[in-house]
Amino acid sequence: MPKVLRFRVQKLIRDGLPAIMRAQGLAVFDRVLAPDEHRAALAAKLVEEARELAEAEGPQHVLEELADVAEVMAALIDAHGLTPQAVEAARIAKRAERGGFEGATWNAAVAAEEGAPALAYYLARPAQYPPEEAEA
């Protein structure tokens, strides 16, 4: 009798995949997530898809990964009881206040004198913004 190999997946997948996988002869150990689990899994899926987008090479691959990001975004919007129109309005408001990304502005670092109120944001997030030695 052949040995059965089992692989841990532990991630959110598209709704149609279990049937496709079963048709390929795979045993699929799936379940429906509770709403809180679903929202958390969607957020993790967005990060996964964003990583895949960052690694995409060529216009077709980028297009496919953007489609995946858009699908997860649509599911997140729905899972949080929002609407695409509300997200678009928030995007437009943020753009009006802070601008977009067309200018390709890269921020290498920020610096201010110790005690400056603006530093609180960075000090509260050391993993995201590790301190470095300031130039004199």
Side-chain angles (χ1 to χ4, degrees):
M1 178 163 253
K3 182 178 179 181
V4 174
L5 302 176
R6 182 173 164 142
F7 299 89
R8 180 182 207 122
V9 176
Q10 299 294 319
K11 68 178 187 177
L12 186 67
I13 61 174
R14 288 177 177 262
D15 298 337
L17 281 177
I20 293 168
M21 295 160 79
R22 287 183 178 106
Q24 295 171 340
L26 294 169
V28 181
F29 303 88
D30 58 334
R31 68 182 178 90
V32 175
L33 299 174
D36 286 350
E37 291 177 301
H38 186 217
R39 287 188 290 273
L42 282 167
K45 189 70 170 181
L46 184 60
V47 172
E48 174 191 338
E49 296 299 347
R51 282 191 186 114
E52 291 175 7
L53 175 60
E55 295 169 3
E57 294 183 16
Q60 186 59 38
H61 193 191
V62 168
L63 176 64
E64 291 170 12
E65 296 305 333
L66 281 169
D68 287 343
V69 168
E71 185 65 30
V72 175
M73 289 280 299
L76 273 165
I77 290 167
D78 186 57
H80 284 278
L82 302 170
T83 66
Q85 296 81 5
V87 173
E88 181 65 3
R91 183 192 72 79
I92 290 169
K94 274 192 145 180
R95 181 182 183 86
E97 182 182 325
R98 298 177 178 207
F101 295 98
E102 296 80 11
T105 304
W106 178 263
N107 183 359
V110 297
E113 289 185 10
E114 194 170 13
L119 290 178
Y121 178 86
Y122 301 95
L123 290 169
R125 297 161 178 82
Q128 188 176 0
Y129 303 108
E132 49 184 49
E133 287 296 316
E135 295 178 14

